[in-house]
Amino acid sequence: MFTLTQTTIEERLRTSLLGRPLVCLKSVESTQTIVREAARRGEAEGLAVVAGQQTAGKGRAGRSWWSPPSGGLYLSLLLRPNLPGDLTSWTVMTLTLGAAEAIEQLYGLPVAIKWPNDLLIQGRKLAGVLAEGAFIGSRLDYVVAGIGLNVATDFSSQPELADTAISLEAALGAAVDPASLLVALLEHSERHYLAMQAGVSPLAAWQARLDTLGRPVTVHLADGRLVHGVAGAVLPDGALRIDLDDGGSQEVRAHDVTLRHQS
Ligand code: BTN
């Protein structure tokens, strides 16, 4: 169990945008909701909200995110990227890359990405990233980008996660300082985010870590159908082309599917 405080983080943080300001809360329903409310009030981009616990943590594709008060990092950021709406996913990539690089820099553990934005260590899920975009017509107004990262999470009470998830401390075999992790995550993410705002696509760096292409996958579509195939290619907006076992292909996008690697 750990507690992050605003002063500990702010004393060490060297960002100009992300985490400006930073708010640390003890227990919330979801940090996504708090940041979305701030966005609706017109708050500028950069706001970061961190919570020690979430009672209604949100995952991708309508799932929940188990957020016990025992060692996860739960963070949401308010971003107002200068992007066409169909490239919203680039914003999430900058956060995913920032988290992966922070972990490699601090702990030397290799981190892969499972499409669309899961962080894997030793083939198990260390973190998940969620983006919720708001549009004015077709223009992207803001993105609430959230990450849930298993720092010291104990999965023994969660049989469905125990086999597929991993915590950073378990992978490392040592204790982790969550403040250093959060600071590095914000700093690396900011570098990618500012580069994106200057016109550099994060796609190549994100794809270089992607552990999904060429693998047999099963995709659960939003309408309940399952499709089986091989992850064939990534499109410029981060969508995945599945080459179906029964011929043809299908493009899938992050918000409406879940995907399982089969091997
Ligand atoms: C996923 O399904 O893989 C994405 C999980 C994202 C969880 C994080 S925890 C902080 C933020 N607040 C939420 O309610 N969800 C995101």
Side-chain angles (χ1 to χ4, degrees):
M1 170 114 182
F2 59 79
T3 311
L4 289 164
T5 66
Q6 197 165 338
T7 1
T8 336
I9 309 299
E10 282 179 349
E11 275 166 5
R12 296 155 74 166
L13 193 61
R14 299 284 171 269
T15 55
S16 58
L17 182 67
L18 299 194
R20 309 285 178 194
L22 180 105
V23 179
C24 293
L25 300 169
K26 201 165 168 216
S27 176
V28 300
E29 285 188 1
S30 163
T31 53
Q32 293 291 109
T33 313
I34 292 178
V35 171
R36 196 175 57 234
E37 284 164 1
R40 286 186 182 146
R41 289 194 304 271
E43 181 114 14
E45 70 170 346
L47 167 71
V49 174
V50 181
Q53 166 184 22
Q54 298 185 115
T55 54
K58 295 203 253 178
R60 252 186 354 92
R63 287 168 303 176
S64 59
W65 185 259
W66 185 57
S67 311
S70 53
L73 178 64
Y74 314 116
L75 162 74
S76 295
L77 291 164
L78 170 55
L79 300 167
R80 297 187 184 272
N82 180 21
L83 285 174
D86 57 352
L87 293 181
T88 309
S89 59
W90 285 14
T91 313
V92 196
M93 291 176 191
T94 65
L95 183 55
T96 308
L97 283 168
E101 289 174 8
I103 289 160
E104 287 184 356
Q105 181 212 332
L106 293 175
Y107 312 111
L109 293 169
V111 180
I113 297 172
K114 178 183 156 209
W115 187 91
N117 283 291
D118 289 352
L119 267 61
L120 302 183
I121 286 187
Q122 299 163 11
R124 290 170 175 239
K125 183 159 173 172
L126 176 79
V129 184
L130 169 70
E132 297 179 291
F135 295 83
I136 298 176
S138 59
R139 183 179 71 77
L140 184 57
D141 183 21
Y142 63 83
V143 176
V144 180
I147 181 164
L149 196 154
N150 309 319
V151 179
T153 318
D154 176 4
F155 295 104
S156 53
S157 68
Q158 306 290 309
E160 74 284 7
L161 296 177
D163 289 343
T164 55
I166 193 166
S167 78
L168 193 48
E169 291 199 347
L172 196 61
V176 163
D177 170 27
S180 307
L181 175 63
L182 177 56
V183 165
L185 185 156
L186 290 170
E187 291 178 354
H188 282 282
S189 299
E190 174 165 294
R191 187 166 37 78
H192 285 288
Y193 184 73
L194 294 180
M196 181 188 80
Q197 291 289 59
V200 181
S201 164
L203 192 73
W206 171 85
Q207 193 169 329
R209 290 183 179 273
L210 199 61
D211 187 30
T212 300
L213 290 185
R215 300 181 73 139
V217 292
T218 297
V219 180
H220 295 235
L221 300 175
D223 62 9
R225 277 182 305 138
L226 289 183
V227 298
H228 303 278
V230 171
V234 165
L235 308 181
D237 69 349
L240 192 63
R241 191 195 73 216
I242 309 289
D243 297 329
L244 301 173
D245 290 349
D246 56 2
S249 66
Q250 173 137 12
E251 288 177 16
V252 293
R253 288 188 165 70
H255 49 272
D256 46 27
V257 303
T258 59
L259 174 142
R260 265 186 229 294
H261 290 169
Q262 295 307 304
S263 58

